Structures are given as C-alpha cells and as structure tokens.
C-alpha cells in the first residue's frame, strides 16, 4: 500500500496548550512539546480526565489551542481559518473513533467514499480507491454490506479503511478497541501493526496497556502534562 513520503516531522508541538474558560479556567493541556516523525507508532495513555481527549481533538484539528503552535507536516495549523483546518484534516488526518461513526443506511463502500469528498481524488478514481482501502483491511468481500449487518470488528475495519483511503500523513485512533471483544481487539491491533509497518504514522489514544504495548513509543498524560514514559518494540 502506498504511503505519502514525508521530509520532516509529521507532528511538532511547540508549547501547545488548551485552557477551557471558567470560572475557574481549566488547563486541560499544559504547554507541551512533542515531535512525532513519519512512520512513528505512538500511544498516548492516561486515566479519565487526564487530558487525552483534549490532545486528541487538538491533534485531529477538531479544536484550537489557546497557546503554542501545532505544526502538521511543517504547516502551522494555528494560522488557518476553520475552512482551511477542515480541508487539511480531510486530506492529511485519518481519525478512527471508538464508536465507529458509520452511516447506517450506506454500504461499507459508500462509507469509505464519504472521506474522499475532502480531497482532490478525481471523481472517476474514488470508487477504486475506496475498494482498495477496504481490501487492505480485509473487508473487500463486504463492500456492499450495510453497517447493521457488520460485527463490531468488521465495523471498525471499515472505519479504518475510511480513515486511510486518502493516504493521510497521520492515522489518529481514539480507543480503537473500546467496543470490541478480546479476539476482535487483538485482530485489530495486528492490523494497526501492519499499517505501521507499511509506513503509516499512527497515534493511538488509549487507557489499555495491551493496546499501548503495540506502539514504539508511549506518552503518558496526567493533569494535562505530557511525559514520554518508555521505549518498546511492537508486541
């Protein structure tokens, strides 16, 4: 599977912070510095309320910081308006949510096609790209299936296909195994390992140490403070 070639860090945080207004103000993410290179596989761990969701929303360009800078592929996202942020997110970030967020009355193929509305893939090439992405996650044979007929594991694979169809610089996963049983969770993590081996840069937000063990780096977050904890190989 072809992955975009990067010439520098995919993610660079320079004093990035997010404080929610009060009273009293709540510093959900304290000034953070972090560099994630192309091809990295990073887990971000921490308890509920630690700032994981805030960091996820900032990395996914779903929220804006109150201080600092977030460079994505060297582009300072803090200078972008809402429209440009949405366009950049659609082209360069694939997000996989715990709850799948598939359109219930659209087939697996059509759910993947939705993601291509945000990039510049020629209209005539979109269906082939969506079919290729489904094949890469082992769901080519279910392209015509509705989400209501898919298992949890199958639904998450379709969600991953939707996230990677545009060949994003960053694959951002939010508790990707949270709604799966242990067997499907293990199979999904094997898939993420394969995608990282193929060259995708992956950041997984998780509270599960078994999920974090698959990453090459683990970043802990506590009370909004990021700390790099361990270096580990793939599980």
């Amino acid at each position: 599977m072809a992955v975009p070639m990067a010439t520098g860090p995919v993610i660079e945080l320079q004093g990035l912070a997010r404080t929610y207004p009060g009273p009293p103000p709540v510093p959900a993410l304290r000034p953070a510095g972090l560099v994630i290179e192309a091809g990295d596989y990073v887990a971000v761990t921490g308890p509920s309320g630690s700032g994981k969701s805030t960091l996820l929303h900032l990395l996914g360009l779903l929220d804006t910081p109150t201080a600092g800078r977030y460079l994505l592929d060297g582009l300072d996202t803090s200078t972008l308006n809402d429209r440009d942020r949405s366009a950049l997110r659609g082209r360069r970030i694939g997000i996989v949510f715990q709850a799948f967020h598939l359109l219930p009355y659209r087939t697996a193929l059509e759910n993947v096609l939705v993601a291509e509305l945000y990039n510049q893939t020629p209209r005539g090439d979109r269906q082939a790209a969506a079919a290729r992405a489904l094949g890469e996650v082992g769901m080519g044979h279910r392209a015509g299936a509705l989400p209501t007929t898919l298992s949890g594991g199958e639904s998450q694979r379709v969600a991953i296909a939707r996230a990677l169809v545009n060949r994003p610089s960053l694959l951002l996963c939010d508790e990707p195994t949270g709604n799966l049983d242990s067997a499907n969770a293990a199979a999904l993590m094997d898939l993420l390992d394969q995608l990282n081996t193929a060259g995708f840069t992956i950041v997984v937000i998780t509270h599960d140490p078994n999920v974090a063990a698959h990453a090459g780096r683990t970043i802990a977050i506590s009370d909004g403070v990021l700390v790099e904890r361990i270096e580990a190989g793939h599980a």
Side-chain angles (χ1 to χ4, degrees), residues 16 29 95 124:
L16 194 75
L29 180 68
I95 306 179

Side-chain angles (χ1 to χ4, degrees), residues 86-107:
S86 294
L88 183 65
R89 180 172 61 248
R91 292 194 307 270
R92 301 200 187 186
I93 302 175
I95 306 179
V96 179
F97 294 99
Q98 175 178 339
F100 317 141
H101 294 314
L102 300 180
L103 299 173
Y105 301 111
R106 294 290 184 265
T107 66

